[in-house]
Amino acid sequence: MKNFLQRFFRGNAPRAAAFALWAGTLLAAVSACSYSLGNRGELPFSTIEIAPIVNEADLPQAQATLAREIADALNREPKLSTVIDRGDAELEIVISDYRRSISSTASRDSVLASTQNLTLVLKCSLLNKRTGKYYFRNRSISVSTEVYTGQAPGLGEPQSFPVLSREAARKVRDLVTNVW
């Protein structure tokens, strides 16, 4: 084989370049044939119910916003649809923690927060309604965002919750639709 390649490419640089280009193109085409975008795994269910969200954190009225965002995220998944009842699976969500921590303080007052870090923690379980067994149970999801409080502490927090909800919904969707 070595002698063949030496005779084939001897003094013929254009032929060598063409061969290398052809071999590289063939290799790229063969390796690309097995690639597919997204999750190829089949879900064992096609419909999902979202159980009423349990709020164990000090976060009033968060359930409605979070439930809407999760339903919207799951409905964007082509192989899955949310239903009110009689779903193949049931998603159970508990808001287990909501924390506020000071990220930075005002330059003139070290007690007054300038920015706060808000963290939302959920525990998710997915129940197979046909068998009564869980696909997964109490998986924790945590999302955070930073809020500028400026001169009016407390005003940025209600405006940030939809951001936290969307990010949490995206993570819940990924948890439900990816291989466990």
Side-chain angles (χ1 to χ4, degrees):
M1 181 75 173
K2 185 177 179 183
N3 289 336
F4 169 76
L5 291 175
Q6 286 175 348
R7 277 186 278 137
F8 184 74
F9 293 123
R10 184 178 309 147
N12 203 349
R15 185 187 285 178
F19 178 76
L21 181 63
W22 178 80
T25 303
L26 180 65
L27 180 64
V30 168
S31 65
C33 289
S34 64
Y35 179 77
S36 69
L37 185 62
N39 182 10
R40 290 179 48 117
E42 291 297 318
L43 292 174
F45 51 88
S46 60
T47 58
I48 187 169
E49 296 175 38
I50 301 172
I53 296 175
V54 177
N55 189 354
E56 294 178 352
D58 182 25
L59 193 58
Q61 302 176 354
Q63 298 97 315
T65 304
L66 189 58
R68 185 182 64 248
E69 292 292 342
I70 290 171
D72 287 347
L74 290 173
N75 283 329
R76 282 189 213 106
E77 191 65 33
K79 55 191 162 198
L80 190 62
S81 61
T82 58
V83 293
I84 295 173
D85 61 354
R86 296 192 191 113
D88 300 330
E90 182 179 50
L91 179 63
E92 301 167 356
I93 298 172
V94 176
I95 301 172
S96 61
D97 194 15
Y98 181 71
R99 292 185 297 263
R100 300 165 194 89
S101 59
I102 295 175
S103 299
S104 64
T105 57
S107 60
R108 294 191 176 108
D109 186 355
S110 62
V111 176
L112 184 63
S114 180
T115 57
Q116 288 184 339
N117 192 28
L118 305 177
T119 303
L120 177 67
V121 181
L122 307 176
K123 290 197 191 272
C124 303
S125 301
L126 187 62
L127 175 68
N128 182 336
K129 296 281 293 236
R130 289 179 239 144
T131 65
K133 294 183 180 178
Y134 283 90
Y135 293 111
F136 57 83
R137 196 168 199 174
N138 293 326
R139 294 263 178 103
S140 185
I141 291 177
S142 177
V143 291
S144 296
T145 190
E146 196 166 81
V147 179
Y148 175 72
T149 57
Q151 299 298 320
L155 288 181
E157 190 172 340
Q159 296 171 348
S160 317
F161 189 73
V163 174
L164 283 172
S165 293
R166 274 191 298 277
E167 183 63 21
R170 186 189 62 75
K171 286 188 172 188
V172 168
R173 182 200 62 213
D174 291 347
L175 182 63
V176 168
T177 60
N178 289 334
V179 179
W180 315 292

